[in-house]
Amino acid sequence: GDPKESKINTMTFYRDRLFLTNDDTVMASRSGDWDNFFLADPETITDTDPLDLMVASNDYTPIKNLIPFKDFLFVGTSGNTQYELMGSQNILSPLTASFAPSAFYPMLTEVKPVPMNNSLFFFAKKKMYIYFGQKAVVAEQAFELSRHVPEYLPESLKVVTPSSHGSMIFALEENTDSTQPTNVFVYRNQIANEKVIQNAFFKFQFKSVTKSSVEFIKAWNKHLYIISYSREIADPYSPHVTLSRISLDDEAKNIPRLDDRRLLTLPYTATFDSSLQKTTVTLTGVGYPLPDTLITSAGEVLPLTVTDAVNNIYTLEGHVTDLFSGTGESDAKWVGVNFTSTVELSTPYVRDEANNIVPGTFNVRYCTLQTYNSHKFDVNVSVNNRNKQTYSFNQEHRRYRYS
């Protein structure tokens, strides 16, 4: 019949071939000849000839992702079955290539599976899975990592990026409501001998004073890079697009934890009004986003109030003597945007040696929390069918105030 145009769903390079997918079909070029998808001699099939395979399934299963991984090609679909494209004796040819169903879980097709630490990870609605592969010596080729945090992950994602340096995977939530903050969900993974020894989830919530939303994230080297889009374009102090980054390394203990942190260096001017009991400071080269917090060299956390954004003039309550003192390394002062850090523990269970939940009533008598350089924080305890209890802690030593 006549040829028909068809949309290419995904493509990749693997084993010196260009792979293309269309619906439930995978096509691959001749080996070493990436734009040649035709047989040289239909009567004599060779190992270098193109591939043309269809996923054999009882249901229509469109192919959405092709991920080269270890010694096979992972085939991600929009159905409930995921596949491996493999050959025989490490040879992938028209005579040996075949699909092998390996995981019977659904997958989000908007974001690709990502490899990290010799394993493959993929997301489903409100779930995350680790994929080991058919040759792994495990009971299951895929395992849900988010079992202990049900309903924590979102239904849809926009971008997923892994960091081998930090052993973390970052997932940007698809946010369609401009009035709500943007969430970046983070998974921290540690594996030893193909066993998961750390399996932690947390999130970064971006709620800027300029109502900007995160549009793209990328983990590269030792940082997570973030592109934000400002929703208040009419604001002259708010740029249209902002590029920022988060360090994935452990930072020195004497560096405060602030968003958009900048070291306060000369030249700056400070004056004190004894009648108003206010310190006025004019900063140089601070710019957007406008800081709301000053950290003194002694570790004091002081709120900054902007009085003139154009000329970078701010006021602080009281006489901030640190702004009139030395400028050496030991006198480092910082400005930035304050943020709230919240740690939420997942529901505790009693488990047997096989990690299965043991039925029954589990009563926690006490909990011990260890903190370091924590100035002020609250602990909220919520028990089923009881009112929430809040315990407040305040570290008064000035040298510990900045974390």
Side-chain angles (χ1 to χ4, degrees):
D2 296 332
K4 296 180 181 180
E5 284 192 6
S6 184
K7 181 182 178 181
I8 296 174
N9 289 339
T10 186
M11 64 174 65
T12 191
F13 286 98
Y14 180 65
R15 295 288 182 88
D16 206 21
R17 297 177 186 266
L18 173 61
F19 283 79
L20 309 173
T21 68
N22 165 33
D23 294 333
D24 57 352
T25 303
V26 173
M27 297 159 286
S29 68
R30 293 183 61 85
S31 180
D33 193 357
W34 299 339
D35 58 355
N36 189 344
F37 290 84
F38 299 94
L39 294 172
D41 184 0
E43 296 183 356
T44 306
I45 305 299
T46 66
D47 290 342
T48 59
D49 278 335
L51 306 180
D52 191 341
L53 302 169
M54 182 178 292
V55 174
S57 173
N58 295 329
D59 300 319
Y60 174 62
T61 310
I63 300 171
K64 296 298 183 180
N65 292 296
L66 294 175
I67 308 295
F69 182 65
K70 294 184 178 180
D71 59 349
F72 60 86
L73 189 64
F74 180 80
V75 181
T77 75
S78 59
N80 293 326
T81 306
Q82 315 307 325
Y83 299 85
E84 294 180 7
L85 179 59
M86 306 175 65
S88 176
Q89 297 179 352
N90 206 29
I91 297 175
L92 191 64
S93 73
L95 303 174
T96 62
S98 63
F99 289 107
S102 54
F104 300 94
Y105 299 101
M107 182 177 67
L108 281 181
T109 58
E110 294 81 9
V111 291
K112 291 184 177 181
V114 291
M116 187 183 72
N117 295 344
N118 206 33
S119 295
L120 195 67
F121 300 83
F122 64 88
F123 288 86
K125 288 184 178 180
K126 297 187 176 183
K127 295 180 180 180
M128 182 181 182
Y129 295 89
I130 183 172
Y131 184 80
F132 298 105
Q134 288 204 40
K135 293 185 178 180
V137 187
V138 290
E140 299 179 80
Q141 276 69 51
F143 177 80
E144 184 190 343
L145 297 168
S146 54
R147 287 182 179 178
H148 63 297
V149 285
E151 304 297 319
Y152 183 73
L153 297 176
E155 286 194 0
S156 59
L157 297 171
K158 191 174 183 179
V159 181
V160 173
T161 178
S163 170
S164 296
H165 174 77
S167 294
M168 291 184 285
I169 295 176
F170 302 88
L172 173 61
E173 181 182 12
E174 183 72 58
N175 186 7
T176 58
D177 188 351
S178 61
T179 64
Q180 297 299 316
T182 306
N183 294 319
V184 174
F185 290 84
V186 189
Y187 172 67
R188 169 77 173 180
N189 171 268
Q190 292 288 335
I191 294 178
N193 298 323
E194 295 190 338
K195 289 185 178 181
V196 178
I197 59 175
Q198 185 182 22
N199 187 42
F201 289 89
F202 58 97
K203 67 181 177 182
F204 298 142
Q205 190 172 76
F206 295 87
K207 189 176 182 180
S208 173
V209 292
T210 55
K211 297 182 181 178
S212 61
S213 64
V214 177
E215 297 295 321
F216 185 78
I217 57 174
K218 177 66 176 179
W220 182 70
N221 203 354
K222 299 180 180 181
H223 292 86
L224 175 68
Y225 290 84
I226 302 168
I227 295 179
S228 302
Y229 172 79
S230 176
R231 299 187 183 278
E232 293 187 355
I233 304 174
D235 185 351
Y237 312 115
S238 173
H240 190 64
V241 177
T242 304
L243 174 64
S244 55
R245 70 180 187 179
I246 297 175
S247 174
L248 302 180
D249 264 343
D250 291 335
E251 293 187 309
K253 297 168 186 164
N254 62 337
I255 296 179
R257 273 48 177 171
L258 291 172
D259 279 341
D260 303 296
R261 181 185 64 217
R262 283 149 289 182
L263 184 63
L264 184 59
T265 57
L266 291 176
Y268 70 84
T269 59
T271 58
F272 175 65
D273 189 327
S274 58
S275 61
L276 297 176
Q277 287 295 303
K278 292 182 180 292
T279 298
T280 300
V281 57
T282 302
L283 307 178
T284 302
V286 173
Y288 171 88
L290 303 177
D292 62 10
T293 303
L294 168 72
I295 310 294
T296 68
S297 59
E300 289 181 291
V301 182
L302 304 177
L304 274 175
T305 301
V306 58
T307 56
D308 186 345
V310 175
N311 296 306
N312 283 320
I313 300 176
Y314 299 82
T315 58
L316 302 99
E317 296 294 330
H319 187 201
V320 185
T321 57
D322 197 47
L323 292 173
F324 303 90
S325 60
T327 59
E329 184 176 346
S330 61
D331 300 301
K333 294 169 277 289
W334 303 82
V335 293
V337 179
N338 201 2
F339 66 90
T340 300
S341 177
T342 303
V343 178
E344 182 178 358
L345 304 181
S346 57
T347 304
Y349 298 98
V350 175
R351 299 178 183 268
D352 59 20
E353 294 181 355
N355 205 33
N356 297 314
I357 296 176
V358 177
T361 302
F362 179 35
N363 294 317
V364 178
R365 294 185 179 275
Y366 64 90
C367 176
T368 301
L369 299 176
Q370 291 183 319
T371 65
Y372 181 76
N373 275 15
S374 298
H375 162 48
K376 183 179 180 181
F377 59 93
D378 295 333
V379 176
N380 297 321
V381 180
S382 299
V383 182
N384 291 337
N385 302 320
R386 297 183 186 178
N387 294 329
K388 181 178 69 175
Q389 288 184 296
T390 300
Y391 302 88
S392 298
F393 298 85
N394 195 339
Q395 173 60 263
E396 292 299 335
H397 297 290
R398 294 176 63 187
R399 54 180 293 215
Y400 296 126
R401 283 194 168 188
Y402 47 72
S403 42

